[in-house]
Amino acid sequence: MASVIVHEQSKQFHLTNGSVSYIIQADKQGKLLNLYYGSAVPDRDDFSYLVEYQHRSTATCRKEGDLLYSLEHLRQEYPEYGTGDYRRPAIIVTQPNGSKITDLQYSSYTVSKGKPSFEHLPSTYVNDDDEAVTLDVTLRDQMLSLIVVLHYTIFSNSPIIARSATITNQGTQGLVLNRAMSLSLDLPDCRYDMTDFIGAWARERHPQRHGLHTGIQAIESLRGASGHFANPTALFSRPGTDEIAGEAIGLAFEYSGDFDLHAEVDSFDVTRLQIGINDFNFFWQLDPGASFQTPEALIGYTSEGFNDLSHGFHDVVRNNIIRGPWKNKERPILINNWEATYFDFDEDKLVAIAQRAHDVGVELFVLDDGWFGARNNDKAGLGDWTPNADRLPNGLTRLARRINDLGMQFGLWFEPEMVNKDSDLFRAHPEWALHTPGRAMSHGRNEYVLNFADNEVVDNIYEQMYSLLSSANIAYIKWDMNRFISEGYDITRDAAHQGELFHRYILGVYSLMERLLQAFPDLLIESCASGGGRFDMGMLHYSPQIWCSDDTDAVERLNIQYGTSVFYPLASMGSHVSITPNHQTGRVTPLRTRSNVAMFGTFGYELDLGKLSDEEVDEVRRQVRLFQDYRKVIHRGDFYRLLAPYDNRKAAWMVVSSDRRRALVGDYKILLKPNSPYTRVRLCGLDPQTVYSVTCTGPSTISGKHFSGVELMRIGLVDTDASSGEMGGVNPLGTTEDFDSKLFIVEAVGEQQTE
Ligand code: GLA
């Protein structure tokens, strides 16, 4: 059970839930300090021995009247600029006289059950008030009447703490907020590796692990979206930590715009972690009476390896971020026509693709790009959300009905934030595309970004989408966003407000999603940004699943989905089986491997089954049935990474139902090594006492045998590759090939016999 233990005398606050402790104190100068963050420790009346006020060198900047007091040497919770702490501050406020100096002092606190939600931003929520406790600590700058409330929510059954800040100008003069981090945390040493999740289009979220060193190590976005380049998440782990053992801290940002996530190691080996809106081009007018709410940051801690930390984040995403009916409803297996047709389709062709998919059990048909406006190629049509008269002369209502008549749900692609110059919307409102007056506009894929910081623009797109979604039975939308902001300038606001554009833009996106969900509460939104260019916890508040990557190659997907799974649950990862040779890599992989990878996600197909042989169609039918059987385990169970794919040899992962009775192990060979070593993979998360049957979908010497959970976890599951190096049917276990894979189906059959 989560609690906040308050020691009034020492002004110490101990947030704990039995697994973690987070201890802070308002010190003698009114500064809020961090005393401890890590595994739960028993409470004591006074932890202030952890604050070391020491005499340091002459170069130290001290408080007048207290030679031992230097902000440079204190581990603070919301540090400020210009008063002796020379590290990056959490907040900078510019005042009418140009000064940026503030002095925030502890003023008061409140503790409440549960957690309040934010109005215009995504945030975690509780399902009942016992699920979390929230501590609000109020800091005040006396001279400016500036109030900063730091919010801390600790969850009862999770190692996650949510942090954010509300900054209010209670004075009579206008202030400018130049920096407002969501979380700042000073750790007492720097023996950490930082793992960030970096990449590019078609190779998103590849883990990159590096030791911390003195100075700043940062990832960030200046694109207007979280981006492909770096995900707004990172791990900070002790050097030996691996998937199953060791200490680690995870940081995640519940925000989809420009972010800054960094670690700063100072001269005394203190590590300052910060995450928040990127202040590079951010300034916000804080008028008298106005408040600014920072987005929420999530911080998690484990002493039991990365898999355990992932479970904490997965649970929070599934239980406290994803909302609405799709939170608990089974996600449909879908077929998407993009790689099957691109722009070359008509109603009958689409219905035929849907029919063939329905015949094998697929549940939702998604019509991708090309159905609207004058969208005959990617040069025209974005912004005009009415059916394309050439391709769909009978409109969407009839198409949706024909799909529904097959017994399938119907879904549709949109790219609401973009416009083509060749569109009625642009012709009527060229000024709605973001541009800097007098400067050329850059484009990406012939697209220009609409000014979502302008409510009039958002209203227009809402009206168009509302009437389209009302016109047909549309159960799902794929919300795409294929380029980032350039020449960012808000022509509706004056110079003093230009620093607000990027944040207001993403608030506009959130508001449109929220309005659509209010109007169509059963709608399932799958977010997408040229694949996984906006895969973050902010988006997951509106769209329970996100297209992981435009790269549908199974081998590439191992890398992408492995990295994505560190912070995000399988139920959030859009993953499809596509045709070979693969459209992004030209690689030919077995159909079973494409499915064995895509199954560890939302699952679906992006091909025309009419192009497959009868045997392949039968195989697809079996895949769909298997997924349907294990969907609950995959989407609600605990996922474990077992063997990372990044050396291009082998990879393995598994998912276990919460009652530990059923599990599915994905075991992947990347490049074939003839006559390769004998291998075992140790499973995780099973019940040691339970006996399980193991069935393998590929060649295996152990298929059909029974093992106890403890054997599978301690000795391991024998997964030796059957490729002996002699092709041509010599091997009784059959031949295997590059990119082969197996699924091991693990089912409880009884309790372990005790002697
Ligand atoms: C983006 C998406 C793809 C597809 C195309 C359509 O690239 O990521 O899945 O929808 O747009 O133009």
Side-chain angles (χ1 to χ4, degrees):
M1 191 68 169
S3 65
V4 178
I5 305 164
V6 180
H7 295 285
E8 300 279 354
Q9 197 62 32
S10 55
K11 297 205 186 76
Q12 285 176 15
F13 306 91
H14 182 171
L15 293 89
T16 187
N17 58 9
S19 82
V20 297
S21 281
Y22 192 107
I23 305 171
I24 56 179
Q25 175 184 28
D27 79 350
K28 55 188 179 183
Q29 297 291 348
K31 296 299 169 194
L32 198 63
L33 307 182
N34 189 284
L35 305 193
Y36 173 74
Y37 174 48
S39 278
V41 292
D43 192 49
R44 56 185 283 151
D45 283 346
D46 192 356
F47 281 99
S48 41
Y49 70 94
L50 292 168
V51 185
E52 297 176 73
Y53 300 108
Q54 284 193 6
H55 180 75
R56 288 284 173 164
S57 74
T58 43
T60 304
C61 187
R62 297 149 206 204
K63 187 100 190 154
E64 267 188 325
D66 187 348
L67 277 181
L68 302 185
Y69 196 91
S70 165
L71 289 170
E72 192 181 349
H73 286 272
L74 292 173
R75 296 196 307 277
Q76 298 163 70
E77 282 291 284
Y78 213 62
E80 296 156 88
Y81 169 73
T83 48
D85 180 349
Y86 299 101
R87 297 164 290 182
R88 293 271 169 104
I91 182 167
I92 302 178
V93 178
T94 307
Q95 298 138 51
N97 66 358
S99 166
K100 290 184 162 66
I101 305 301
T102 54
D103 183 13
L104 290 166
Q105 305 240 342
Y106 170 79
S107 156
S108 61
Y109 77 91
T110 59
V111 175
S112 50
K113 278 178 132 194
K115 176 179 191 298
S117 300
F118 302 157
E119 216 180 321
H120 304 295
L121 275 168
S123 60
T124 50
Y125 64 90
V126 289
N127 300 283
D128 74 70
D129 276 352
D130 285 335
E131 220 180 333
V133 181
T134 298
L135 166 71
D136 288 340
V137 179
T138 300
L139 312 174
R140 182 182 168 85
D141 180 296
Q142 188 64 28
M143 195 173 131
L144 299 177
S145 295
L146 176 74
I147 304 292
V148 175
V149 182
L150 300 182
H151 309 288
Y152 299 82
T153 296
I154 180 161
F155 290 88
S156 294
N157 299 315
S158 148
I160 308 293
I161 290 173
R163 276 193 60 179
S164 68
T166 312
I167 299 152
T168 304
N169 179 359
Q170 289 187 346
T172 51
Q173 311 180 71
L175 302 171
V176 180
L177 200 53
N178 289 96
R179 181 177 175 89
M181 287 286 137
S182 297
L183 172 147
S184 187
L185 172 65
D186 290 352
L187 301 167
D189 68 77
C190 64
R191 291 188 316 279
Y192 290 97
D193 290 342
M194 177 173 179
T195 304
D196 31 57
F197 298 86
I198 47 103
W201 175 80
R203 53 178 170 84
E204 295 90 339
R205 291 173 298 284
H206 286 41
Q208 166 182 266
R209 184 170 178 166
H210 45 98
L212 285 189
H213 54 77
T214 306
I216 291 177
Q217 290 109 93
I219 50 165
E220 65 171 4
S221 169
L222 294 173
R223 293 152 202 259
S226 41
H228 302 91
F229 166 66
N231 196 255
T233 50
L235 296 170
F236 297 90
S237 56
R238 295 303 188 186
T241 299
D242 59 21
E243 293 290 0
I244 54 171
E247 268 192 300
I249 290 171
L251 259 191
F253 202 23
E254 226 180 309
Y255 186 64
S256 314
D258 287 358
F259 71 92
D260 167 6
L261 189 170
H262 68 263
E264 177 175 7
V265 178
D266 72 10
S267 331
F268 305 98
D269 287 352
V270 169
T271 303
R272 174 166 290 174
L273 304 183
Q274 290 194 336
I275 190 165
I277 293 177
N278 197 319
D279 70 356
F280 184 80
N281 186 25
F282 169 83
F283 49 90
W284 193 274
Q285 297 297 330
L286 205 58
D287 296 332
S291 284
F292 182 84
Q293 174 62 53
T294 74
E296 190 165 86
L298 301 178
I299 186 160
Y301 170 84
T302 184
S303 57
E304 293 169 31
F306 299 130
N307 276 322
D308 184 61
L309 190 62
S310 293
H311 295 160
F313 280 100
H314 293 178
D315 287 347
V316 158
V317 169
R318 289 186 297 203
N319 301 327
N320 307 100
I321 291 181
I322 292 176
R323 303 171 293 163
W326 289 103
K327 173 176 171 172
N328 295 318
K329 232 160 85 178
E330 296 200 347
R331 307 286 172 70
I333 302 174
L334 66 82
I335 182 129
N336 177 302
N337 74 308
W338 179 240
E339 288 197 10
T341 65
Y342 295 106
F343 292 115
D344 180 19
F345 62 80
D346 59 24
E347 186 179 308
D348 286 342
K349 194 168 178 180
L350 296 175
V351 174
I353 291 173
Q355 171 77 67
R356 288 190 277 270
H358 176 257
D359 289 347
V360 297
V362 172
E363 300 152 346
L364 163 72
F365 173 79
V366 178
L367 171 52
D368 209 279
D369 194 354
W371 60 266
F372 51 89
R375 188 74 166 169
N376 297 319
N377 50 46
D378 69 7
K379 293 191 174 61
L382 287 175
D384 299 339
W385 300 109
T386 49
N388 178 295
D390 293 336
R391 282 203 202 94
L392 299 170
N394 302 307
L396 281 172
T397 321
R398 195 175 95 158
L399 174 61
R401 199 176 327 113
R402 286 182 72 187
I403 301 289
N404 289 162
D405 287 347
L406 295 174
M408 295 177 97
Q409 292 180 303
F410 179 65
L412 205 54
W413 181 95
F414 281 94
E415 195 173 357
E417 300 153 68
M418 301 299 153
V419 66
N420 288 124
K421 282 192 175 172
D422 186 359
S423 68
D424 293 341
L425 188 77
F426 187 86
R427 280 182 281 275
H429 289 288
E431 76 284 4
W432 282 0
L434 281 172
H435 66 283
T436 299
R439 302 277 176 199
M441 291 161 81
S442 311
H443 74 99
R445 209 188 176 201
N446 311 299
E447 297 177 14
Y448 299 84
V449 186
L450 287 170
N451 183 4
F452 263 50
D454 179 357
N455 290 338
E456 202 187 342
V457 176
V458 177
D459 286 348
N460 177 290
I461 301 298
Y462 174 77
E463 293 305 334
Q464 290 197 57
M465 291 181 78
Y466 179 87
S467 77
L468 205 282
L469 292 172
S470 310
S471 74
N473 188 15
I474 297 165
Y476 158 111
I477 63 176
K478 177 171 168 188
W479 183 300
D480 211 340
M481 197 280 292
N482 277 307
R483 62 155 301 198
F484 303 118
I485 296 175
S486 62
E487 292 84 38
Y489 185 88
D490 184 354
I491 60 161
T492 68
R493 292 186 170 84
D494 63 16
H497 291 84
Q498 289 306 318
E500 299 170 14
L501 169 66
F502 284 76
H503 184 55
R504 287 194 187 279
Y505 176 91
I506 205 69
L507 292 180
V509 174
Y510 291 147
S511 77
L512 179 56
M513 287 183 158
E514 188 67 42
R515 283 166 77 182
L516 289 169
L517 288 172
Q518 296 292 335
F520 305 97
D522 292 328
L523 191 66
L524 173 60
I525 302 181
E526 176 157 348
S527 165
C528 170
S530 282
R534 201 162 58 183
F535 203 121
D536 56 64
M537 296 199 185
M539 274 297 140
L540 287 170
H541 199 60
Y542 306 89
S543 80
Q545 56 195 60
I546 302 178
W547 182 225
C548 238
S549 176
D550 276 350
D551 193 338
T552 58
D553 175 85
V555 177
E556 294 300 313
R557 274 300 185 118
L558 280 176
N559 298 331
I560 295 166
Q561 291 174 212
Y562 206 91
T564 307
S565 77
V566 174
F567 282 90
Y568 304 98
L570 300 186
S572 69
M573 289 189 217
S575 51
H576 302 165
V577 174
S578 62
I579 206 82
T580 58
N582 176 266
H583 289 194
Q584 291 75 43
T585 61
R587 196 174 281 142
V588 176
T589 55
L591 179 56
R592 58 182 170 277
T593 295
R594 283 174 268 152
S595 160
N596 290 346
V597 174
M599 246 182 227
F600 289 83
T602 57
F603 198 53
Y605 291 82
E606 187 145 342
L607 44 72
D608 180 353
L609 286 161
K611 304 261 166 64
L612 303 188
S613 67
D614 290 350
E615 295 76 54
E616 286 175 319
V617 172
D618 283 344
E619 192 178 335
V620 169
R621 188 174 288 113
R622 286 194 297 276
Q623 293 166 354
V624 168
R625 243 184 262 131
L626 184 73
F627 182 80
Q628 284 167 333
D629 189 11
Y630 279 86
R631 176 162 32 198
K632 260 208 192 95
V633 179
I634 294 168
H635 288 172
R636 301 300 304 176
D638 291 332
F639 180 71
Y640 291 87
R641 291 172 299 276
L642 304 175
L643 187 62
Y646 302 104
D647 64 0
N648 284 329
R649 302 213 37 183
K650 286 190 73 161
W653 56 36
M654 69 181 287
V655 63
V656 193
S657 62
S658 35
D659 64 3
R660 303 197 282 178
R661 308 281 304 166
R662 309 186 83 192
L664 212 52
V665 182
D667 192 75
Y668 310 92
K669 167 164 59 184
I670 303 173
L671 291 181
L672 181 140
K673 277 270 171 223
N675 211 8
S676 52
Y678 296 90
T679 55
R680 298 171 190 172
V681 57
R682 281 184 173 190
L683 304 191
C684 292
L686 301 173
D687 176 28
Q689 299 307 325
T690 297
V691 176
Y692 296 91
S693 72
V694 172
T695 315
C696 184
T697 59
S700 161
T701 53
I702 60 158
S703 194
K705 295 195 165 51
H706 290 185
F707 305 93
S708 68
V710 72
E711 277 178 274
L712 292 169
M713 293 191 291
R714 293 281 171 257
I715 300 176
L717 178 139
V718 172
D719 72 335
T720 302
D721 186 357
S723 45
S724 66
E726 295 174 284
M727 305 302 272
V730 185
N731 188 339
L733 281 174
T735 53
T736 69
E737 50 190 303
D738 276 351
F739 319 126
D740 213 342
S741 68
K742 312 173 224 203
L743 275 186
F744 289 94
I745 297 164
V746 180
E747 291 277 349
V749 289
E751 294 305 306
Q752 167 89 311
Q753 300 289 330
T754 44
E755 300 274 300

